[in-house]
Amino acid sequence: MTVSLGGLRIVVSAGPTFEDIDPVRFIGNRSSGKMGFAIAAAAARRGADVLLVAGPVALPTPGGVQRVDVRSAAQMREAVLAALPADVYIGAAAVADFTPRFPATHKLKKSAGGDAMLLDLVRTPDILAQVATQARRPRLVVGFAAETQDLARSARGKLHDKRVDMIVANQVGVAGSGFEADDNALTVFDADGSHALGAGPKTQLAERLLDLVHARLQRAGAAPAPNPTIPGPTQA
Ligand code: C5P
């Protein structure tokens, strides 16, 4: 049975951010956006009002989802904060941690600095932490953690440091799973401990994550009652 999320407003961020160095070069990462898009699609199928803030990705907009395209972390922050208030925020985007302090307005010449080049970088705003600590805080704030080592410890650290309700952790660097892949293996960390969502297609893991989101909201008295009339997801 698929539980309904009708009546809930859910904001999802997905994909990478690109931080411009000059008009032709940028700092990016390997996020495909597939996990966040799968979550947005599944939430819309369950009747939620979904706003998807998407970094630069090559994915079609899921049915019933409202989409805002952004490029940089600063733009993503602006779009996410403008989308509030919401009942749930799911930060699935791989936001760049650093951005060039002074992006060049003209293409940088490789001859200008000799054999080496130093980039002056500054931290980007932590969108997830800002959403979780502001006055219009969604009832449920969910973050992601992609790690190559010490998964549980890092996830618990982020849960605490960013003041979020759930951290969805995945091990990256595993062949066929994580960044760019269609499959993933996820564990959710929250105040109660950890819940393994298992491994499988991102479309299926998105459904399991939304079941947890629904259960958590219901416990807090904020979720619609289960609605057995919603058809199950079509498998990708
Ligand atoms: O600290 P780290 O980047 O590993 O945390 C990952 C989580 O924080 C993800 O949910 C990501 O969307 C969010 N994040 C953010 N803004 C940043 C960095 C990360 O919202 N500048």
Side-chain angles (χ1 to χ4, degrees):
M1 184 180 75
T2 307
V3 288
S4 168
L5 296 174
L8 295 177
R9 176 165 170 82
I10 302 185
V11 177
V12 181
S13 70
T17 67
F18 288 175
E19 310 300 323
D20 287 340
I21 297 170
D22 70 15
V24 297
R25 306 180 181 94
F26 59 86
I27 299 170
N29 64 67
R30 295 171 55 186
S31 168
S32 65
K34 286 177 187 168
M35 192 67 238
F37 272 59
I39 293 167
R45 272 197 306 268
R46 291 175 181 222
D49 165 18
V50 182
L51 183 94
L52 174 61
V53 180
V57 294
L59 293 174
T61 309
V65 168
Q66 193 195 341
R67 172 176 178 171
V68 176
D69 284 312
V70 298
R71 180 172 170 84
S72 65
Q75 288 171 359
M76 185 170 278
R77 172 185 175 275
E78 206 170 299
V80 166
L81 294 183
L84 301 182
D87 298 288
V88 180
Y89 174 68
I90 302 179
V95 185
D97 293 318
F98 291 93
T99 191
R101 188 190 302 270
F102 303 114
T105 46
H106 297 289
K107 186 181 171 194
L108 296 172
K109 298 285 179 204
K110 59 175 167 285
S111 53
D115 284 345
M117 178 182 178
L118 285 177
L119 274 179
D120 186 5
L121 303 176
V122 288
R123 284 291 293 268
T124 55
D126 192 318
I127 303 164
L128 184 63
Q130 287 190 7
V131 169
T133 53
Q134 62 147 322
R136 293 179 306 166
R137 185 191 199 278
R139 271 172 281 185
L140 200 69
V141 179
V142 181
F144 271 69
E147 303 289 343
T148 53
Q149 53 189 359
D150 249 345
L151 189 67
R153 202 162 61 91
S154 316
R156 290 210 175 86
K158 286 188 216 303
L159 193 64
H160 176 265
D161 295 346
K162 302 193 186 216
R163 310 274 192 272
V164 298
D165 304 294
M166 287 183 184
I167 285 285
V168 187
N170 65 323
Q171 191 97 36
V172 291
V174 180
S177 184
F179 276 12
E180 296 173 320
D182 288 327
D183 286 12
N184 217 346
L186 300 178
T187 305
V188 175
F189 294 82
D190 64 13
D192 297 336
S194 62
H195 319 261
L197 295 187
K202 289 178 177 174
T203 48
Q204 214 171 73
L205 293 170
E207 300 288 350
R208 291 184 200 152
L209 176 62
L210 290 179
D211 286 343
L212 260 188
V213 163
H214 179 270
R216 188 71 191 247
L217 286 171
Q218 223 179 18
R219 242 177 36 193
N227 175 359
T229 60
I230 293 180
T234 46
Q235 288 302 315

